[in-house]
Amino acid sequence: MKMNKKGFTLIELLAVIVILAVIALIASPIVLGIIENSRESSQARSIEAYAAAVQDAIATVMSKPGYAGGDVTVSGTTVTSGTLTQEVAYSGNKIECPNDGVSYDSKTGYLTLTGCNVTGSAKKFNYTNNPADANSGSATIAGE
């Protein structure tokens, strides 16, 4: 009687498992790095969206009847100038900035966010815009 042996031996299966384990060990740090980079990029875009909302609120205050020029301040989610106020309309990830972390220079039009972060993140971001181009600002990780 002729025996027909089909299938893999235990050694062959173990060799395949070892090869897959080595590939997983090599690939996992790369994948984790890609995930971290995309998380940082997402947080930076959230900071930029918040900055755009602040700029819109500043423009709204400056266009209200009764605005006589002068300083515009941002405190939390409120923009004020004299008795005029405007809430910052932003519905993205919650942004936290230190008390002195958001400043606006009425003379030059520069909006600066310093040391801001997305809630729950340890990364701090800075943002500065170019008044000549409302979409020019970009958030960068503080200290890099």
Side-chain angles (χ1 to χ4, degrees):
M1 182 187 274
K2 187 176 180 185
M3 293 197 60
N4 191 3
K5 292 184 180 181
K6 291 185 179 178
F8 297 104
T9 66
L10 182 59
I11 299 296
E12 290 169 330
L13 291 173
L14 286 174
V16 169
I17 291 171
V18 167
I19 290 169
L20 290 175
V22 169
I23 290 171
L25 285 172
I26 293 170
S28 60
I30 295 168
V31 170
L32 292 175
I34 291 170
I35 291 170
E36 182 60 27
N37 288 343
S38 63
R39 185 175 291 127
E40 288 174 3
S41 179
S42 171
Q43 291 171 352
R45 299 304 80 78
S46 292
I47 299 287
E48 291 167 6
Y50 175 73
V54 170
Q55 289 172 324
D56 288 345
I58 290 169
T60 301
V61 164
M62 291 178 150
S63 65
K64 284 184 176 182
Y67 176 71
D71 290 335
V72 175
T73 59
V74 181
S75 177
T77 59
T78 306
V79 174
T80 58
S81 178
T83 59
L84 302 174
T85 63
Q86 178 67 37
E87 289 296 314
V88 176
Y90 173 74
S91 61
N93 293 329
K94 187 170 189 302
I95 306 298
E96 297 172 337
C97 296
N99 289 340
D100 60 347
V102 181
S103 63
Y104 178 73
D105 187 333
S106 300
K107 292 178 181 72
T108 63
Y110 278 102
L111 172 67
T112 304
L113 282 68
T114 307
C116 299
N117 70 318
V118 176
T119 302
S121 170
K123 297 269 184 186
K124 302 286 185 190
F125 291 86
N126 296 331
Y127 171 92
T128 302
N129 73 322
N130 177 352
D133 179 6
N135 298 318
S136 68
S138 62
T140 57
I141 297 174
E144 288 187 7

